[in-house]
Amino acid sequence: DAKTTQPPSMDCAEGRAANLPCNHSTISGNEYVYWYRQIHSQGPQYIIHGLKNNETNEMASLIITEDRKSSTLILPHATLRDTAVYYCIVRVGGAQKLVFGQGTRLTINP
Amino acid sequence: DTGVSQDPRHKITKRGQNVTFRCDPISEHNRLYWYRQTLGQGPEFLTYFQNEAQLEKSRLLSDRFSAERPKGSFSTLEIQRTEQGDSAMYLCASSFQRGPSTGELFFGEGSRLTVL
């Protein structure tokens, strides 16, 4: 699975959009971009995934650049409950496992 | 609650003792994964099952570790002769995988092990 690069930490004000970047310059054509988050003392939670088109669900939006070498997870109206570590992972569809990196620790400030 | 269930949530043991963790996946999920997570690190893959078959084991899974999924439903992870370095959160996840579908993983709350 390709490696990803994320900033170790970010801050965002409550009510504002949180934009979390991820670089995956060595991504292959059949690899998806996944985002998971982990709130303190809980297991990771799936957020969203995409292949090449932008995706949106009730939790977030995923913007993938045209060359697919980077992506951005957008939490449109961040709340205090969005404080968590966010993991960007690239994975072949149907692959056996997720390989987690260090993630980005996002802190939402009141 | 129909999510992934893990038991016990917390376990404190003395070095050298054996411990066993249980994971009940989401019903009808055919894949089950075990991960380990230490403080400040992302989860590390240990092993996974497709139904009852253990298909991959990480090099992290030393011979003191054994995992089973006897009937393709619940799974157990046993650690023999525990060491202080085994102290971690042990996470279980399950997914439904069919063909090339992306099969999101659903994680349990984890079992926290402290070895004294």
Side-chain angles (χ1 to χ4, degrees), chain A residues 12-15 18 37-40 42 45 47 59 75 77-86 106-110:
Chain A
C12 180
E14 187 179 18
R37 74 178 183 184
Q38 188 171 24
I39 296 171
H40 183 62
Q42 295 183 20
Q45 176 191 23
I47 301 173
M59 290 182 68
L75 308 178
H77 304 287
T79 71
L80 298 178
R81 289 177 294 180
D82 292 322
T83 292
V85 178
Y86 287 77
L106 176 67
T107 302
I108 306 301
N109 300 305

PDB file of all heavy atoms in Angstrom, chain A residues 12-15 18 37-40 42 45 47 59 75 77-86 106-110:
ATOM      1  N   CYS A  12      -8.553  24.048  14.694  1.00  0.00           N
ATOM      2  CA  CYS A  12      -9.645  24.672  13.955  1.00  0.00           C
ATOM      3  C   CYS A  12     -10.651  25.215  14.969  1.00  0.00           C
ATOM      4  O   CYS A  12     -10.862  24.610  16.037  1.00  0.00           O
ATOM      5  CB  CYS A  12     -10.311  23.647  13.043  1.00  0.00           C
ATOM      6  SG  CYS A  12     -11.687  24.298  12.066  1.00  0.00           S
ATOM      7  N   ALA A  13     -11.243  26.345  14.634  1.00  0.00           N
ATOM      8  CA  ALA A  13     -12.254  26.930  15.515  1.00  0.00           C
ATOM      9  C   ALA A  13     -13.594  26.229  15.305  1.00  0.00           C
ATOM     10  O   ALA A  13     -13.966  25.847  14.186  1.00  0.00           O
ATOM     11  CB  ALA A  13     -12.393  28.424  15.238  1.00  0.00           C
ATOM     12  N   GLU A  14     -14.304  26.067  16.399  1.00  0.00           N
ATOM     13  CA  GLU A  14     -15.629  25.463  16.341  1.00  0.00           C
ATOM     14  C   GLU A  14     -16.523  26.223  15.381  1.00  0.00           C
ATOM     15  O   GLU A  14     -16.530  27.469  15.363  1.00  0.00           O
ATOM     16  CB  GLU A  14     -16.245  25.456  17.742  1.00  0.00           C
ATOM     17  CG  GLU A  14     -17.544  24.700  17.854  1.00  0.00           C
ATOM     18  CD  GLU A  14     -18.093  24.694  19.263  1.00  0.00           C
ATOM     19  OE1 GLU A  14     -17.670  25.552  20.079  1.00  0.00           O
ATOM     20  OE2 GLU A  14     -18.932  23.834  19.564  1.00  0.00           O
ATOM     21  N   GLY A  15     -17.255  25.506  14.555  1.00  0.00           N
ATOM     22  CA  GLY A  15     -18.160  26.124  13.590  1.00  0.00           C
ATOM     23  C   GLY A  15     -17.526  26.419  12.248  1.00  0.00           C
ATOM     24  O   GLY A  15     -18.247  26.646  11.262  1.00  0.00           O
ATOM     25  N   ALA A  18     -13.030  22.473   8.786  1.00  0.00           N
ATOM     26  CA  ALA A  18     -11.703  21.889   9.036  1.00  0.00           C
ATOM     27  C   ALA A  18     -11.263  21.190   7.749  1.00  0.00           C
ATOM     28  O   ALA A  18     -11.992  20.342   7.222  1.00  0.00           O
ATOM     29  CB  ALA A  18     -11.757  20.902  10.189  1.00  0.00           C
ATOM     30  N   ARG A  37     -11.135   8.162  11.546  1.00  0.00           N
ATOM     31  CA  ARG A  37     -10.741   8.992  12.683  1.00  0.00           C
ATOM     32  C   ARG A  37     -10.852   8.182  13.957  1.00  0.00           C
ATOM     33  O   ARG A  37     -11.592   7.189  14.029  1.00  0.00           O
ATOM     34  CB  ARG A  37     -11.584  10.250  12.770  1.00  0.00           C
ATOM     35  CG  ARG A  37     -13.012  10.048  13.269  1.00  0.00           C
ATOM     36  CD  ARG A  37     -13.739  11.379  13.353  1.00  0.00           C
ATOM     37  NE  ARG A  37     -15.102  11.251  13.890  1.00  0.00           N
ATOM     38  CZ  ARG A  37     -15.948  12.276  13.984  1.00  0.00           C
ATOM     39  NH1 ARG A  37     -15.574  13.499  13.586  1.00  0.00           N
ATOM     40  NH2 ARG A  37     -17.158  12.088  14.472  1.00  0.00           N
ATOM     41  N   GLN A  38     -10.113   8.626  14.958  1.00  0.00           N
ATOM     42  CA  GLN A  38     -10.114   7.935  16.236  1.00  0.00           C
ATOM     43  C   GLN A  38     -10.227   8.961  17.344  1.00  0.00           C
ATOM     44  O   GLN A  38      -9.307   9.755  17.573  1.00  0.00           O
ATOM     45  CB  GLN A  38      -8.846   7.099  16.411  1.00  0.00           C
ATOM     46  CG  GLN A  38      -8.866   6.207  17.623  1.00  0.00           C
ATOM     47  CD  GLN A  38      -7.700   5.244  17.665  1.00  0.00           C
ATOM     48  OE1 GLN A  38      -6.656   5.484  17.078  1.00  0.00           O
ATOM     49  NE2 GLN A  38      -7.873   4.136  18.363  1.00  0.00           N
ATOM     50  N   ILE A  39     -11.371   8.928  17.975  1.00  0.00           N
ATOM     51  CA  ILE A  39     -11.597   9.773  19.134  1.00  0.00           C
ATOM     52  C   ILE A  39     -10.958   9.094  20.336  1.00  0.00           C
ATOM     53  O   ILE A  39     -10.939   7.855  20.423  1.00  0.00           O
ATOM     54  CB  ILE A  39     -13.108   9.999  19.329  1.00  0.00           C
ATOM     55  CG1 ILE A  39     -13.659  10.775  18.126  1.00  0.00           C
ATOM     56  CG2 ILE A  39     -13.407  10.723  20.630  1.00  0.00           C
ATOM     57  CD1 ILE A  39     -15.167  10.869  18.083  1.00  0.00           C
ATOM     58  N   HIS A  40     -10.464   9.878  21.245  1.00  0.00           N
ATOM     59  CA  HIS A  40      -9.709   9.364  22.385  1.00  0.00           C
ATOM     60  C   HIS A  40     -10.408   8.178  23.047  1.00  0.00           C
ATOM     61  O   HIS A  40     -11.589   8.229  23.355  1.00  0.00           O
ATOM     62  CB  HIS A  40      -9.508  10.486  23.400  1.00  0.00           C
ATOM     63  CG  HIS A  40      -8.683  10.070  24.578  1.00  0.00           C
ATOM     64  ND1 HIS A  40      -7.366   9.661  24.459  1.00  0.00           N
ATOM     65  CD2 HIS A  40      -8.994   9.964  25.883  1.00  0.00           C
ATOM     66  CE1 HIS A  40      -6.910   9.350  25.655  1.00  0.00           C
ATOM     67  NE2 HIS A  40      -7.873   9.523  26.536  1.00  0.00           N
ATOM     68  N   GLN A  42     -11.333   5.395  21.910  1.00  0.00           N
ATOM     69  CA  GLN A  42     -12.285   4.621  21.118  1.00  0.00           C
ATOM     70  C   GLN A  42     -11.557   3.968  19.944  1.00  0.00           C
ATOM     71  O   GLN A  42     -10.429   4.331  19.623  1.00  0.00           O
ATOM     72  CB  GLN A  42     -13.404   5.524  20.587  1.00  0.00           C
ATOM     73  CG  GLN A  42     -14.279   6.130  21.674  1.00  0.00           C
ATOM     74  CD  GLN A  42     -15.417   6.945  21.096  1.00  0.00           C
ATOM     75  OE1 GLN A  42     -15.795   6.789  19.936  1.00  0.00           O
ATOM     76  NE2 GLN A  42     -15.983   7.822  21.913  1.00  0.00           N
ATOM     77  N   GLN A  45     -12.939   5.020  13.440  1.00  0.00           N
ATOM     78  CA  GLN A  45     -14.261   5.110  12.828  1.00  0.00           C
ATOM     79  C   GLN A  45     -14.104   5.495  11.365  1.00  0.00           C
ATOM     80  O   GLN A  45     -13.410   6.466  11.041  1.00  0.00           O
ATOM     81  CB  GLN A  45     -15.103   6.158  13.568  1.00  0.00           C
ATOM     82  CG  GLN A  45     -16.470   6.417  12.970  1.00  0.00           C
ATOM     83  CD  GLN A  45     -17.143   7.640  13.573  1.00  0.00           C
ATOM     84  OE1 GLN A  45     -16.500   8.532  14.107  1.00  0.00           O
ATOM     85  NE2 GLN A  45     -18.465   7.684  13.485  1.00  0.00           N
ATOM     86  N   ILE A  47     -14.807   7.218   7.946  1.00  0.00           N
ATOM     87  CA  ILE A  47     -15.441   8.481   7.582  1.00  0.00           C
ATOM     88  C   ILE A  47     -15.905   8.455   6.138  1.00  0.00           C
ATOM     89  O   ILE A  47     -17.090   8.634   5.835  1.00  0.00           O
ATOM     90  CB  ILE A  47     -14.466   9.676   7.768  1.00  0.00           C
ATOM     91  CG1 ILE A  47     -13.994   9.772   9.210  1.00  0.00           C
ATOM     92  CG2 ILE A  47     -15.155  10.989   7.349  1.00  0.00           C
ATOM     93  CD1 ILE A  47     -12.905  10.819   9.421  1.00  0.00           C
ATOM     94  N   MET A  59     -20.970  12.939   6.980  1.00  0.00           N
ATOM     95  CA  MET A  59     -19.899  13.313   7.909  1.00  0.00           C
ATOM     96  C   MET A  59     -18.930  14.320   7.305  1.00  0.00           C
ATOM     97  O   MET A  59     -18.455  15.218   8.009  1.00  0.00           O
ATOM     98  CB  MET A  59     -19.102  12.080   8.348  1.00  0.00           C
ATOM     99  CG  MET A  59     -19.845  11.136   9.257  1.00  0.00           C
ATOM    100  SD  MET A  59     -18.811   9.747   9.754  1.00  0.00           S
ATOM    101  CE  MET A  59     -17.606  10.572  10.783  1.00  0.00           C
ATOM    102  N   LEU A  75     -14.344  18.793   6.963  1.00  0.00           N
ATOM    103  CA  LEU A  75     -15.448  18.732   7.918  1.00  0.00           C
ATOM    104  C   LEU A  75     -16.101  20.110   7.854  1.00  0.00           C
ATOM    105  O   LEU A  75     -15.523  21.088   8.311  1.00  0.00           O
ATOM    106  CB  LEU A  75     -14.949  18.434   9.325  1.00  0.00           C
ATOM    107  CG  LEU A  75     -14.042  17.219   9.485  1.00  0.00           C
ATOM    108  CD1 LEU A  75     -13.585  17.089  10.941  1.00  0.00           C
ATOM    109  CD2 LEU A  75     -14.753  15.962   9.045  1.00  0.00           C
ATOM    110  N   HIS A  77     -18.562  21.946   9.206  1.00  0.00           N
ATOM    111  CA  HIS A  77     -18.884  22.781  10.380  1.00  0.00           C
ATOM    112  C   HIS A  77     -18.391  22.028  11.618  1.00  0.00           C
ATOM    113  O   HIS A  77     -19.135  21.300  12.251  1.00  0.00           O
ATOM    114  CB  HIS A  77     -20.385  23.030  10.475  1.00  0.00           C
ATOM    115  CG  HIS A  77     -20.976  23.654   9.248  1.00  0.00           C
ATOM    116  ND1 HIS A  77     -20.761  24.981   8.919  1.00  0.00           N
ATOM    117  CD2 HIS A  77     -21.749  23.136   8.274  1.00  0.00           C
ATOM    118  CE1 HIS A  77     -21.393  25.242   7.775  1.00  0.00           C
ATOM    119  NE2 HIS A  77     -21.997  24.145   7.365  1.00  0.00           N
ATOM    120  N   ALA A  78     -17.118  22.208  11.913  1.00  0.00           N
ATOM    121  CA  ALA A  78     -16.494  21.407  12.967  1.00  0.00           C
ATOM    122  C   ALA A  78     -17.116  21.697  14.337  1.00  0.00           C
ATOM    123  O   ALA A  78     -17.419  22.846  14.674  1.00  0.00           O
ATOM    124  CB  ALA A  78     -15.007  21.683  13.009  1.00  0.00           C
ATOM    125  N   THR A  79     -17.287  20.642  15.099  1.00  0.00           N
ATOM    126  CA  THR A  79     -17.751  20.756  16.473  1.00  0.00           C
ATOM    127  C   THR A  79     -16.685  20.202  17.410  1.00  0.00           C
ATOM    128  O   THR A  79     -15.734  19.551  16.971  1.00  0.00           O
ATOM    129  CB  THR A  79     -19.064  19.991  16.693  1.00  0.00           C
ATOM    130  OG1 THR A  79     -18.783  18.574  16.655  1.00  0.00           O
ATOM    131  CG2 THR A  79     -20.098  20.333  15.627  1.00  0.00           C
ATOM    132  N   LEU A  80     -16.861  20.436  18.695  1.00  0.00           N
ATOM    133  CA  LEU A  80     -15.879  19.954  19.672  1.00  0.00           C
ATOM    134  C   LEU A  80     -15.740  18.435  19.596  1.00  0.00           C
ATOM    135  O   LEU A  80     -14.675  17.869  19.873  1.00  0.00           O
ATOM    136  CB  LEU A  80     -16.281  20.398  21.075  1.00  0.00           C
ATOM    137  CG  LEU A  80     -16.333  21.912  21.313  1.00  0.00           C
ATOM    138  CD1 LEU A  80     -16.792  22.199  22.738  1.00  0.00           C
ATOM    139  CD2 LEU A  80     -14.993  22.556  21.040  1.00  0.00           C
ATOM    140  N   ARG A  81     -16.830  17.764  19.223  1.00  0.00           N
ATOM    141  CA  ARG A  81     -16.802  16.300  19.143  1.00  0.00           C
ATOM    142  C   ARG A  81     -15.985  15.784  17.964  1.00  0.00           C
ATOM    143  O   ARG A  81     -15.750  14.578  17.861  1.00  0.00           O
ATOM    144  CB  ARG A  81     -18.220  15.754  19.063  1.00  0.00           C
ATOM    145  CG  ARG A  81     -19.005  15.891  20.363  1.00  0.00           C
ATOM    146  CD  ARG A  81     -20.420  15.395  20.207  1.00  0.00           C
ATOM    147  NE  ARG A  81     -21.192  16.213  19.284  1.00  0.00           N
ATOM    148  CZ  ARG A  81     -22.462  15.990  18.974  1.00  0.00           C
ATOM    149  NH1 ARG A  81     -23.115  14.965  19.481  1.00  0.00           N
ATOM    150  NH2 ARG A  81     -23.099  16.793  18.149  1.00  0.00           N
ATOM    151  N   ASP A  82     -15.555  16.691  17.083  1.00  0.00           N
ATOM    152  CA  ASP A  82     -14.707  16.277  15.967  1.00  0.00           C
ATOM    153  C   ASP A  82     -13.233  16.240  16.356  1.00  0.00           C
ATOM    154  O   ASP A  82     -12.382  15.878  15.530  1.00  0.00           O
ATOM    155  CB  ASP A  82     -14.907  17.231  14.778  1.00  0.00           C
ATOM    156  CG  ASP A  82     -16.296  17.096  14.157  1.00  0.00           C
ATOM    157  OD1 ASP A  82     -16.791  15.947  14.081  1.00  0.00           O
ATOM    158  OD2 ASP A  82     -16.859  18.136  13.760  1.00  0.00           O
ATOM    159  N   THR A  83     -12.918  16.631  17.576  1.00  0.00           N
ATOM    160  CA  THR A  83     -11.533  16.520  18.050  1.00  0.00           C
ATOM    161  C   THR A  83     -11.135  15.044  18.073  1.00  0.00           C
ATOM    162  O   THR A  83     -11.776  14.224  18.750  1.00  0.00           O
ATOM    163  CB  THR A  83     -11.393  17.133  19.451  1.00  0.00           C
ATOM    164  OG1 THR A  83     -11.587  18.551  19.363  1.00  0.00           O
ATOM    165  CG2 THR A  83     -10.021  16.849  20.039  1.00  0.00           C
ATOM    166  N   ALA A  84     -10.096  14.704  17.300  1.00  0.00           N
ATOM    167  CA  ALA A  84      -9.718  13.301  17.128  1.00  0.00           C
ATOM    168  C   ALA A  84      -8.425  13.243  16.320  1.00  0.00           C
ATOM    169  O   ALA A  84      -7.936  14.258  15.827  1.00  0.00           O
ATOM    170  CB  ALA A  84     -10.821  12.529  16.385  1.00  0.00           C
ATOM    171  N   VAL A  85      -7.890  12.033  16.190  1.00  0.00           N
ATOM    172  CA  VAL A  85      -6.794  11.786  15.250  1.00  0.00           C
ATOM    173  C   VAL A  85      -7.408  11.293  13.954  1.00  0.00           C
ATOM    174  O   VAL A  85      -8.212  10.350  13.957  1.00  0.00           O
ATOM    175  CB  VAL A  85      -5.796  10.759  15.805  1.00  0.00           C
ATOM    176  CG1 VAL A  85      -4.690  10.495  14.787  1.00  0.00           C
ATOM    177  CG2 VAL A  85      -5.197  11.252  17.121  1.00  0.00           C
ATOM    178  N   TYR A  86      -7.031  11.914  12.851  1.00  0.00           N
ATOM    179  CA  TYR A  86      -7.572  11.583  11.536  1.00  0.00           C
ATOM    180  C   TYR A  86      -6.495  10.889  10.717  1.00  0.00           C
ATOM    181  O   TYR A  86      -5.393  11.398  10.560  1.00  0.00           O
ATOM    182  CB  TYR A  86      -8.059  12.849  10.832  1.00  0.00           C
ATOM    183  CG  TYR A  86      -9.334  13.377  11.436  1.00  0.00           C
ATOM    184  CD1 TYR A  86      -9.315  14.070  12.647  1.00  0.00           C
ATOM    185  CD2 TYR A  86     -10.555  13.158  10.824  1.00  0.00           C
ATOM    186  CE1 TYR A  86     -10.489  14.530  13.227  1.00  0.00           C
ATOM    187  CE2 TYR A  86     -11.743  13.616  11.383  1.00  0.00           C
ATOM    188  CZ  TYR A  86     -11.692  14.292  12.594  1.00  0.00           C
ATOM    189  OH  TYR A  86     -12.862  14.743  13.167  1.00  0.00           O
ATOM    190  N   LEU A 106      -6.358  16.515  15.204  1.00  0.00           N
ATOM    191  CA  LEU A 106      -7.170  17.718  14.999  1.00  0.00           C
ATOM    192  C   LEU A 106      -7.808  18.127  16.310  1.00  0.00           C
ATOM    193  O   LEU A 106      -8.488  17.310  16.957  1.00  0.00           O
ATOM    194  CB  LEU A 106      -8.257  17.456  13.957  1.00  0.00           C
ATOM    195  CG  LEU A 106      -9.250  18.603  13.723  1.00  0.00           C
ATOM    196  CD1 LEU A 106      -8.545  19.797  13.083  1.00  0.00           C
ATOM    197  CD2 LEU A 106     -10.416  18.134  12.860  1.00  0.00           C
ATOM    198  N   THR A 107      -7.571  19.380  16.686  1.00  0.00           N
ATOM    199  CA  THR A 107      -8.181  19.925  17.889  1.00  0.00           C
ATOM    200  C   THR A 107      -9.143  21.021  17.491  1.00  0.00           C
ATOM    201  O   THR A 107      -8.754  21.971  16.797  1.00  0.00           O
ATOM    202  CB  THR A 107      -7.117  20.496  18.842  1.00  0.00           C
ATOM    203  OG1 THR A 107      -6.194  19.455  19.176  1.00  0.00           O
ATOM    204  CG2 THR A 107      -7.769  21.039  20.112  1.00  0.00           C
ATOM    205  N   ILE A 108     -10.385  20.877  17.886  1.00  0.00           N
ATOM    206  CA  ILE A 108     -11.397  21.898  17.635  1.00  0.00           C
ATOM    207  C   ILE A 108     -11.498  22.769  18.879  1.00  0.00           C
ATOM    208  O   ILE A 108     -11.778  22.252  19.975  1.00  0.00           O
ATOM    209  CB  ILE A 108     -12.753  21.280  17.296  1.00  0.00           C
ATOM    210  CG1 ILE A 108     -12.617  20.291  16.141  1.00  0.00           C
ATOM    211  CG2 ILE A 108     -13.765  22.390  16.956  1.00  0.00           C
ATOM    212  CD1 ILE A 108     -12.075  20.884  14.856  1.00  0.00           C
ATOM    213  N   ASN A 109     -11.279  24.044  18.712  1.00  0.00           N
ATOM    214  CA  ASN A 109     -11.264  24.975  19.838  1.00  0.00           C
ATOM    215  C   ASN A 109     -12.568  25.757  19.919  1.00  0.00           C
ATOM    216  O   ASN A 109     -13.101  26.184  18.899  1.00  0.00           O
ATOM    217  CB  ASN A 109     -10.093  25.948  19.683  1.00  0.00           C
ATOM    218  CG  ASN A 109      -8.761  25.227  19.658  1.00  0.00           C
ATOM    219  OD1 ASN A 109      -8.447  24.464  20.569  1.00  0.00           O
ATOM    220  ND2 ASN A 109      -7.981  25.456  18.620  1.00  0.00           N
ATOM    221  N   PRO A 110     -13.074  25.951  21.144  1.00  0.00           N
ATOM    222  CA  PRO A 110     -14.335  26.699  21.287  1.00  0.00           C
ATOM    223  C   PRO A 110     -14.162  28.178  20.954  1.00  0.00           C
ATOM    224  O   PRO A 110     -13.058  28.701  20.949  1.00  0.00           O
ATOM    225  CB  PRO A 110     -14.699  26.490  22.759  1.00  0.00           C
ATOM    226  CG  PRO A 110     -13.455  26.093  23.421  1.00  0.00           C
ATOM    227  CD  PRO A 110     -12.578  25.423  22.406  1.00  0.00           C
TER     228      PRO A 110
END
